Amino acid sequence: MTEMLSIKLIVNGIVVNKLVDPRQHLTDFLRSDLGLTGSHIGCEHGVCGACSVRVNGRVVRGCLMLASQSDGAEIETIEGLVESGDLNELMTEFVARNALQCGFCTPGILLTAAEIVAEDRCFSRQEIRNELSGNICRCTGYQAIIDAIEMVLIENMKKK
Amino acid sequence: MKAPTFKYLRAESMDDVYAAFAEYGDEAVILAGGQSLMPMLNMRLAQPAVLVDINPIYELSGIVLSNQKLHVGAMTRHVEVANAELVAETLPLIGCAIKQVAHRGIRNRGTFGGSLAHADPAAEMPACAVALDATLILQSHGGARRVKATDFFLGVMSTDRRSDEILTSIELPTQGSNHAWAFHELSRRHGDFALVGVAATAQRRSEGLDGLRLVVFGCEARPRISEVVASRTLVPQDVAEFAAAVVKDLDPMSDLEGDAEIKLIQAHALVERSLNDLLAAQPYD
């Protein structure tokens, strides 16, 4: 019988106390224990990026971190970021040009895109494409996704 | 695709790590950034009895410059190395190569020391550590041991680290103004492991380049200096001959990305590019 570990963390601004199996990864925990099913489970070995969540302000692979390691951490998932309005501009541009089809990769791509936008600098299209190499989309061919991110970067530049 | 059962130990201090080694010996595996170990667990390629999580040990992170050496804590994350001006200024080879290490989400969590300790032959940082003549500091309960990067890597995911030792920091001699460097990598997608790559440094002299430390990675079982050209002076007209000599000395492993013959062709192109880069490099301050 595995010894369960007690963890206390903040998920989307709410303090959570739970017992977890040491071998459970973070995205499994968020989905099955907290019902936050917006972070998806694709490859479970760090290739596809569908499981991306923010841990202490940085995007990480939720499948490559144990839930037990999130003790004391601040986690933000796609649900929290949508609710906070942080992704509004990106989501508007994604919807405007259908930058998704099945939507499986979209939460992870939005999190990566938000980190790119937050860097507050110029990105060429090739750079955006390189940044997205860690998030696999099998529907769109990326063109509309890159268009959407580029548009948000341009709009942000204009505001300066 | 779920990790096997293991005991999870959260190490708050080095003493916790040594205690885990004392109690569990070979069964205890260090969990640093987890960006290689976690996939191996999820795919059950590794089934350790005990994981010792060193993420809470803050003193294992950080980048400090002293005595012309950059001291990088083993738990310093790739993103911190990539963002550090100190690295870009004093070790431009690392500053360039770190951008090729995996993807954003993985660089945010993966660590410099973890990449070295894991010793994947296709990884960028082990090759850079060898090219830059880095020294690795391994600590055990009995004290510290210093190992040159050239001696540390023994084979595929195999190193000179003993089972009661933990890699704590890496010392990298900074590159001076007469120092030339080159880095090239071939991969199918930005951020993927290299099909083949080259990391190289050399000293600029009036008569040409000497002290050439050229490492071809993603090719053989471990990163090593190409000895056939190490003691020679490179001048522009010898590039083709040097490249041919380096490639002739390689013994590539075939892998899923290509057979040995293809790797030789790829390596030849990258070595030639790297040698030309070294010669073309301008002094910097």
Side-chain angles (χ1 to χ4, degrees):
Chain A
M1 183 66 200
T2 317
E3 189 188 342
M4 299 290 270
L5 296 166
S6 169
I7 58 168
K8 182 179 180 182
L9 64 160
I10 298 171
V11 181
N12 298 330
I14 296 164
V15 177
V16 174
N17 269 297
K18 285 275 182 186
L19 283 175
V20 294
D21 186 331
R23 73 192 184 99
Q24 188 178 39
H25 64 67
L26 180 58
T27 303
D28 254 350
F29 167 73
L30 295 168
R31 289 175 59 87
S32 58
D33 292 40
L34 303 185
L36 296 168
T37 53
S39 313
H40 295 153
I41 292 175
C43 71
E44 291 192 294
H45 62 280
V47 175
C48 77
C51 63
S52 297
V53 293
R54 240 189 235 171
V55 178
N56 296 330
R58 282 186 183 147
V59 174
V60 305
R61 307 286 210 229
C63 74
L64 297 189
M65 180 174 167
L66 298 168
S68 47
Q69 291 186 287
S70 67
D71 185 36
E74 190 172 338
I75 312 286
E76 293 162 280
T77 68
I78 188 70
E79 290 89 346
L81 291 170
V82 168
E83 202 163 313
S84 71
D86 280 11
L87 301 177
N88 281 357
E89 288 141 340
L90 280 166
M91 284 164 57
T92 303
E93 297 299 338
F94 269 61
V95 170
R97 52 182 60 69
N98 280 331
L100 61 143
Q101 286 179 30
C102 82
F104 192 82
C105 69
T106 311
I109 290 201
L110 284 170
L111 260 71
T112 299
E115 198 169 287
I116 294 169
V117 170
E119 281 194 12
D120 198 24
R121 65 172 176 92
C122 290
F123 281 84
S124 67
R125 283 182 72 83
Q126 186 58 48
E127 281 180 297
I128 298 171
R129 190 175 285 278
N130 287 350
E131 290 288 353
L132 287 175
S133 66
N135 291 82
I136 292 179
C137 170
R138 296 291 85 151
C139 303
T140 67
Y142 296 93
Q143 298 297 347
I145 296 172
I146 292 164
D147 291 345
I149 296 171
E150 190 178 34
M151 190 55 72
V152 173
L153 287 167
I154 291 169
E155 291 299 323
N156 285 354
M157 289 290 166
K158 282 187 195 163
K159 285 181 203 153
K160 284 187 182 172
Chain B
M1 299 301 282
K2 306 290 179 193
T5 302
F6 49 75
K7 185 179 178 71
Y8 171 85
L9 294 179
R10 189 180 155 93
E12 306 275 353
S13 68
M14 296 301 291
D15 283 340
D16 287 351
V17 177
Y18 303 143
F21 284 153
E23 186 168 354
Y24 300 102
D26 289 357
E27 301 275 87
V29 170
I30 298 280
L31 174 60
Q35 303 304 287
S36 300
L37 180 55
M38 284 290 300
M40 289 169 73
L41 291 171
N42 286 352
M43 293 191 280
R44 304 212 174 181
L45 297 171
Q47 305 212 3
V50 180
L51 279 192
V52 184
D53 183 4
I54 58 169
N55 281 268
I57 309 179
Y58 292 110
E59 62 261 34
L60 289 178
S61 295
I63 302 171
V64 177
L65 178 66
S66 90
N67 295 329
Q68 275 89 54
K69 279 183 184 149
L70 208 62
H71 301 257
V72 181
M75 272 300 297
T76 309
R77 299 191 195 274
H78 295 309
V79 63
E80 290 157 348
V81 174
N83 290 344
E85 277 179 34
L86 206 51
V87 173
E89 283 165 14
T90 64
L91 291 171
L93 171 64
I94 299 262
C96 171
I98 195 82
K99 293 179 186 144
Q100 305 290 326
V101 176
H103 312 290
R104 175 177 286 268
I106 290 172
R107 287 194 302 275
N108 280 345
R109 187 123 185 110
T111 67
F112 192 74
S115 178
L116 299 183
H118 182 59
D120 189 307
E124 293 85 358
M125 288 305 114
C128 289
V130 171
L132 289 166
D133 199 19
T135 300
L136 287 76
I137 319 294
L138 299 155
Q139 304 256 17
S140 67
H141 187 56
R145 188 165 70 95
R146 299 167 61 85
V147 180
K148 285 274 187 191
T150 42
D151 300 324
F152 182 71
F153 301 103
L154 302 181
V156 178
M157 294 176 199
S158 162
T159 71
D160 184 47
R161 188 186 72 85
R162 297 170 191 153
S163 60
D164 66 338
E165 286 178 329
I166 170 174
L167 175 62
T168 52
S169 73
I170 298 93
E171 277 180 21
L172 298 135
T174 54
Q175 298 176 261
S177 57
N178 68 335
H179 214 115
W181 62 274
F183 184 84
H184 280 285
E185 173 174 327
L186 187 67
S187 61
R188 291 206 186 278
R189 213 171 42 140
H190 181 90
D192 284 2
F193 274 109
L195 307 178
V196 175
V198 173
T201 64
Q203 308 295 320
R204 195 178 290 105
R205 306 272 181 243
S206 52
E207 63 275 19
L209 293 172
D210 61 16
L212 184 59
R213 297 178 68 89
L214 187 144
V215 181
V216 180
F217 62 99
C219 199
E220 298 179 330
R222 65 187 189 97
R224 64 171 175 97
I225 301 285
S226 182
E227 295 294 344
V228 287
V229 292
S231 56
R232 297 179 57 190
T233 299
L234 175 66
V235 290
Q237 56 268 35
D238 289 346
V239 166
E241 189 222 319
F242 268 54
V246 169
V247 171
K248 187 161 179 264
D249 179 50
L250 290 173
D251 182 17
M253 305 179 295
S254 298
D255 60 24
L256 293 174
E257 304 289 1
D259 61 28
E261 237 171 295
I262 288 172
K263 281 186 183 279
L264 287 176
I265 296 166
Q266 294 166 334
H268 190 272
L270 296 192
V271 169
E272 208 162 74
R273 269 177 227 174
S274 300
L275 294 172
N276 282 320
D277 278 6
L278 289 172
L279 286 164
Q282 296 300 312
Y284 64 90
D285 297 308

